[in-house]
Amino acid sequence: MSNPYDAFDPYGPYRPAGTHPQSRPGPGRAPGVAVPSPPAWLAPSAPERRVGATPKILLAALLTGLLTAWLLYDGLGPNLLLLGAATAVGAGIAARTAGRRIRPWTAVWSLLALALLAVPARWDAGWPAVPAVVGALALASLALHGGRRWPGVLFPLPGIVWQLVSSVVWVWESMDRRPLPGRDRIVPVLKALGVAAALLTVFGLLFASADAAMADLLGGLSPDLDLDQLPGRGALFVLGTVTVLGFAHMAAGPRRWDRTVIRPGRERRRLEWALPLIALNLMFGVFAVIQAVVVLGGADAVLSNTGMSRSEYARQGFWQLSVITVLTLVVVAVANRWAPRTTVADRRVARILLGLLCLLALAVVASALGRMWFYVDASGLTRLRLWVLVVEVWLGAVFLLLIAAGLTRRAGWLPRVVVLSGMLTVAVYGLMGPDAIVAEQNVTRYEQALRDDPRTAAIDLRNVRGLSADAVPALDRLPEPQRSCALQLIGQGLGAESKPWYATNLAATRAREILAERPRVDSTTVGRTACDQAGLASEAW
């Protein structure tokens, strides 16, 4: 019986290039462009054929580049969804030319990528949008590659980065080989149009500067274009065009990273391998027992020995426990690489020790979450605290998946499910509105404190002043002068003019409506701002 943790091991069955079922040309596929010989370590994953770029692919890329220059210049919003759909069209044309079909996992990755691109359309905060956009690009690459093993799901994630230059070369070579009907007639016309445009521009500027009436006439004929925007929009045009070409290049002939040869580590003797794991399991077990004693209330002896109060003990060591959680995943991966696997007994020992370590790691995750939650309850929620809570929950889910893989005979599902869980975490985290949650938690704590003891109630305005427009509905419930102080930076960030519909979001629109109905009160006393009255010193702003 094979080791159930083999799914965590990147060494699976390998078929040499040319023998893999997906590497043989399928029926009805278009003739392809020869692929140069890659380096030795890349040879097994190299595509045996890649279809050439077509005029439709180039046209889709250029149109998407124009859309990018138009829509993306003013900011992020629903424009990302529109550009994502346009990029999918270009990649779909290349995939159809190559004779590829949509598979279930391709649909899963694609839909999740679109969900990630919806984050900037819903919320105003920029920091959750960054991992969402990066995750969407990674999932789009994974959807076009379609891997199963660990190399097949991890190596494609940054695929768009190294496809940008090669995709331009691919298009150039494909277009150079493709016969163009009427080339002798079209090329001279294009050259004449280019020369005419250059002459009209130069002499038009000179005439406009020499005569006011000519300037008015030319101004009415020329489009309203801010020359200061040309560099930025030009860069966006290039970015959009090359991105579509990169994904089309993948779709035309993706690498089969599942065929990458990664040789397993040399098996260690059972004692040499098992003794360190047994010692580590014992340490984790002792920690789990201590945490159980503290949670159950019999921690008087432990607390008296450490010299800390119960609250200090609960808040201490969160970051160390988070590092332990990550290091445990590394230990499991490394130990599985060199685990003895010759006999059934070797595989059983590996399964038991690694499974026990993952189980005990859940106690570390639970302790870290408990400490952070106590800290939040005592001091309020911040962006960083919410982020580490979400990451710690995901790490706990990964350990549960590893345990489930150890209990099943076949665990080939593990690589894709681990990546799916990570991307779902990013999507849920972005779509739930982190800034809105942070503001809601802090305002709710303050309202509860006002009901319990108004004299001692306080809110740390430093935790909420730097939030985005997502926080406005919650901060609007604060009394004055705390409300005006908390909304000061957000109001300045929104500005007086609203952005176009394609570069804004629902949260910013709602925030503008609230601030229009109930404007901030900057000062009720001469010489004192709302933050001064709220007790926030100016140097803390």
Side-chain angles (χ1 to χ4, degrees):
M1 184 176 64
S2 62
N3 185 353
Y5 280 91
D6 283 345
F8 196 79
D9 188 8
Y11 325 112
Y14 163 67
R15 294 187 178 100
T19 63
H20 194 277
Q22 294 180 340
S23 67
R24 293 191 293 269
R29 293 191 177 181
V33 177
V35 179
S37 298
W41 72 275
L42 284 175
S45 64
E48 294 185 349
R49 60 184 298 278
R50 175 178 285 121
V51 298
T54 64
K56 289 183 179 180
I57 295 175
L58 181 58
L59 179 61
L62 293 175
L63 291 177
T64 305
L66 291 174
L67 278 175
T68 305
W70 172 39
L71 298 177
L72 210 59
Y73 186 83
D74 296 306
L76 300 181
N79 47 17
L80 281 181
L81 282 171
L82 298 176
L83 295 176
T87 303
V89 170
I93 295 173
R96 184 175 181 181
T97 304
R100 302 183 62 190
R101 296 176 299 173
I102 298 178
R103 300 181 181 274
W105 275 101
T106 303
V108 170
W109 301 133
S110 302
L111 292 176
L112 186 53
L114 291 177
L116 288 169
L117 292 179
V119 171
R122 176 66 182 89
W123 300 106
D124 184 63
W127 60 288
V130 173
V133 173
V134 173
L137 293 173
L139 285 177
S141 177
L142 181 56
L144 295 174
H145 284 86
R148 295 183 178 184
R149 298 170 56 234
W150 284 108
V153 298
L154 295 181
F155 289 172
L157 295 180
I160 187 60
V161 176
W162 52 69
Q163 291 285 349
L164 297 180
V165 176
S166 59
S167 64
V168 176
V169 177
W170 167 65
V171 171
W172 180 270
E173 293 179 348
S174 299
M175 293 295 104
D176 188 57
R177 293 189 183 97
R178 179 178 293 272
L180 180 63
R183 180 192 294 265
D184 296 337
R185 297 189 302 271
I186 295 176
V187 173
V189 172
L190 293 178
K191 289 182 179 179
L193 290 175
V195 173
L199 291 175
L200 290 176
T201 300
V202 172
F203 284 95
L205 291 175
L206 291 174
F207 278 123
S209 61
D211 186 82
M214 189 68 175
D216 292 338
L217 176 63
L218 293 178
L221 295 176
S222 61
D224 187 10
L225 182 63
D226 189 352
L227 295 180
D228 294 337
Q229 298 180 2
L230 284 180
R233 293 188 183 272
L236 290 174
F237 170 77
V238 174
L239 177 63
T241 302
V242 175
T243 300
V244 176
L245 293 179
F247 284 116
H249 189 232
M250 295 182 204
R255 284 192 171 274
R256 302 301 182 183
W257 290 109
D258 278 341
R259 304 202 303 262
T260 302
V261 179
I262 302 179
R263 304 190 182 280
R266 181 175 62 86
E267 292 186 38
R268 305 294 178 177
R269 294 180 180 179
R270 188 185 300 179
L271 180 62
E272 178 185 0
W273 175 87
L275 185 59
L277 279 183
I278 293 174
L280 190 61
N281 278 326
L282 288 175
M283 177 174 288
F284 273 61
V286 171
F287 177 82
V289 171
I290 293 176
Q291 299 309 298
V293 170
V294 173
V295 171
L296 295 175
D300 294 338
V302 174
L303 298 179
S304 61
N305 291 333
T306 60
M308 293 184 295
S309 66
R310 186 177 287 267
S311 61
E312 291 173 339
Y313 183 80
R315 288 179 290 179
Q316 183 253 359
F318 169 80
W319 295 109
Q320 293 90 327
L321 294 179
S322 298
V323 173
I324 289 173
T325 305
V326 176
L327 288 179
T328 305
L329 283 175
V330 176
V331 169
V332 171
V334 172
N336 190 67
R337 175 178 172 83
W338 282 287
R341 48 189 173 270
T342 303
T343 66
V344 175
D346 287 337
R347 293 192 290 271
R348 184 181 299 113
V349 170
R351 183 167 62 250
I352 292 174
L353 290 180
L354 290 176
L356 182 59
L357 182 59
C358 291
L359 186 62
L360 292 173
L362 290 176
V364 177
V365 171
S367 177
L369 290 174
R371 295 180 187 220
M372 177 53 74
W373 186 253
F374 189 93
Y375 189 45
V376 168
D377 185 61
S379 305
L381 192 62
T382 64
R383 288 174 168 178
L384 179 60
R385 294 167 192 170
L386 178 59
W387 170 248
V388 296
L389 278 171
V390 171
V391 172
E392 196 69 28
V393 169
W394 175 68
L395 291 175
V398 171
F399 281 114
L400 288 175
L401 291 174
L402 293 177
I403 294 173
L407 297 176
T408 56
R409 290 180 177 272
R410 296 182 179 180
W413 51 267
L414 183 61
R416 286 188 290 194
V417 174
V418 168
V419 174
L420 178 62
S421 68
M423 292 301 177
L424 279 174
T425 301
V426 175
V428 172
Y429 174 75
L431 291 174
M432 70 182 183
D435 278 16
I437 293 176
V438 170
E440 179 66 30
Q441 196 270 350
N442 281 277
V443 171
T444 301
R445 289 179 67 252
Y446 182 61
E447 291 173 339
Q448 183 62 42
L450 286 175
R451 290 191 292 268
D452 295 341
D453 189 355
R455 293 173 300 176
T456 60
I459 182 173
D460 191 348
L461 293 174
R462 294 169 298 180
N463 287 349
V464 296
R465 274 174 52 83
L467 299 177
S468 64
D470 307 340
V472 170
L475 298 180
D476 185 56
R477 306 202 312 262
L478 291 173
E480 294 292 352
Q482 286 84 355
R483 174 186 178 273
S484 293
C485 179
L487 295 175
Q488 178 186 16
L489 297 180
I490 299 176
Q492 294 174 357
L494 288 173
E497 297 182 0
S498 59
K499 295 181 179 180
W501 65 268
Y502 52 80
T504 190
N505 51 79
L506 296 177
T509 302
R510 176 59 180 154
R512 290 180 184 277
E513 294 174 354
I514 292 175
L515 292 177
E517 294 174 1
R518 294 180 294 279
R520 293 182 300 108
V521 181
D522 290 330
S523 176
T524 56
T525 305
V526 177
R528 299 192 67 196
T529 66
C531 288
D532 291 333
Q533 298 177 57
L536 184 64
S538 59
E539 59 268 15
W541 297 3

